[in-house]
Amino acid sequence: MISVRYLMVWTLLSDTKYQVKTQCSGTSAEIIVGYSVSSITSPGYPNGYDGGLKCSWVARTEVQGDVLLIMSTENTLSCSSDTVNVHDGKNSSTNKLIENHCSSNGNAAQSGFGTTSAESAYIEFVSDSTSEPTEKGFIIKIISGNDFSESSCSLPVNLTASTNPQYITSPNFPEEYATYINCQWIIQNTLGRVKLNLIFMDIEEDEFCSYDYLKVTDEGYSLKLCKEKSWSEIIYVSNGTSITVDFHSDDQQTKRGFILSYQQTNLPCSYCSANITRPFYIFMFILALCLS
């Protein structure tokens, strides 16, 4: 058993959602995407949608040099009639990253990942004149991305947390990381605790995180994380004034990796504790709720 003292975990399920119906009136809705997860849903989701819809959204990041990572995480559109497409650019004339995504059997379907070549993506949704009860609609998740790994995979990188969030990622994020990688970040805060916010994770999944993993070490106590296609934010608060983050990949599968933020916090959390007996990703429930 790995005993983790005073390590607070808080799963955040409320990402930014865009469901307004103005995007179905002939004008695309604009969505500004940052380093938190944004969600686009069909109108009425998850209670179905109207027939005869033609809706569009333009998602873009305002961070120079960033691109967008996109995935349809749940889709119950009928393949015989309705469709959603994601384009690499500001309009429908650009190449498709996710094409005619739908559900062939009525069960919720997931798409693969799509990465834009620049700052924008165009999403279009078309429904025919009727809608079946099984057609609840779709959810598309989006996040802005860049490679913040720096030289951490050559030598350990020392970082200082501040009151503003700063970011670290797996190498090559939001594209796939390489094999045989070992990266380390040592994050310090002389004024209090360190708060980590794991925003997105796509790391080769295994019950014991034996292959690829993200490891968080706090005062000698460690935990490993490895989960694929996880868009739910999780917050970690250190027991002391420093925390170490390691990322490892083996010689087999590669995935999209992760992005997390770190910053100072004076959160008093002496009553927050957990005993970890399995990989930490199964604790995607609220183990302790401490407001920062």
Side-chain angles (χ1 to χ4, degrees):
M1 177 180 293
I2 302 172
S3 177
V4 180
R5 299 176 302 167
Y6 314 138
L7 187 62
M8 189 274 286
V9 185
W10 184 7
T11 299
L12 299 179
L13 300 177
S14 56
D15 50 60
T16 305
K17 292 184 173 63
Y18 297 88
Q19 195 183 32
V20 293
K21 293 189 177 181
T22 54
Q23 74 275 6
C24 303
S25 63
T27 301
S28 299
E30 184 179 53
I31 300 167
I32 304 301
V33 182
Y35 298 133
S36 58
V37 177
S38 295
S39 294
I40 294 174
T41 69
S42 50
Y45 184 88
N47 299 314
Y49 51 88
D50 295 333
L53 292 177
K54 186 175 182 180
C55 314
S56 61
W57 302 257
V58 175
R60 66 180 178 90
T61 176
E62 295 184 323
V63 182
Q64 186 175 5
D66 274 20
V67 295
L68 300 179
L69 180 65
I70 304 175
M71 178 183 175
S72 178
T73 59
E74 185 171 328
N75 190 325
T76 57
L77 306 183
S78 171
C79 290
S80 63
S81 53
D82 306 334
T83 187
V84 61
N85 291 289
V86 178
H87 296 260
D88 183 13
K90 299 179 180 180
N91 54 58
S92 60
S93 65
T94 55
N95 294 332
K96 292 179 180 179
L97 297 172
I98 300 174
E99 184 173 3
N100 298 330
H101 190 239
C102 57
S103 171
S104 60
N105 56 13
N107 296 324
Q110 287 189 339
S111 73
F113 288 108
T115 306
T116 61
S117 58
E119 76 282 355
S120 299
Y122 179 82
I123 300 96
E124 59 178 353
F125 165 56
V126 177
S127 66
D128 65 1
S129 59
T130 61
S131 180
E132 299 297 328
T134 57
E135 296 178 300
K136 297 179 180 180
F138 65 85
I139 303 176
I140 290 177
K141 303 280 189 177
I142 312 175
I143 192 169
S144 185
N146 209 328
D147 184 349
F148 295 118
S149 62
E150 299 180 348
S151 60
S152 60
C153 304
S154 301
L155 294 170
V157 171
N158 291 290
L159 302 170
T160 300
S162 65
T163 55
N164 295 318
Q166 301 172 77
Y167 299 91
I168 60 178
T169 67
S170 50
N172 205 37
F173 185 82
E175 298 292 351
E176 293 188 358
Y177 53 81
T179 56
Y180 293 114
I181 284 178
N182 288 285
C183 315
Q184 185 176 81
W185 300 265
I186 302 168
I187 307 168
Q188 298 179 328
N189 174 22
T190 58
L191 301 178
R193 304 178 192 277
V194 177
K195 181 171 72 172
L196 298 183
N197 183 2
L198 181 55
I199 302 166
F200 166 85
M201 175 171 52
D202 182 48
I203 298 173
E204 182 184 0
E205 195 165 336
D206 170 69
E207 184 179 7
F208 300 104
C209 295
S210 304
Y211 306 120
D212 301 352
Y213 57 79
L214 186 68
K215 183 172 73 171
V216 179
T217 303
D218 174 31
E219 293 195 342
Y221 294 85
S222 298
L223 58 91
K224 288 182 178 180
L225 303 100
C226 57
K227 187 170 179 64
E228 298 174 14
K229 300 177 180 179
S230 174
W231 294 84
S232 297
E233 296 185 358
I234 311 171
I235 289 179
Y236 306 86
V237 176
S238 68
N239 179 59
T241 59
S242 68
I243 198 165
T244 300
V245 177
D246 290 274
F247 177 64
H248 167 81
S249 68
D250 65 3
D251 62 345
Q252 299 295 319
Q253 298 183 43
T254 60
K255 301 292 180 181
R256 295 293 178 142
F258 71 91
I259 179 170
L260 64 80
S261 67
Y262 63 94
Q263 65 185 111
Q264 293 178 4
T265 181
N266 294 319
L267 178 67
C269 211
S270 60
Y271 54 87
C272 298
S273 62
N275 290 321
I276 311 304
T277 57
R278 299 185 64 188
F280 208 69
Y281 66 79
I282 66 172
F283 285 80
M284 299 288 284
F285 302 99
I286 299 175
L287 300 182
L289 182 60
C290 302
L291 298 178
S292 56

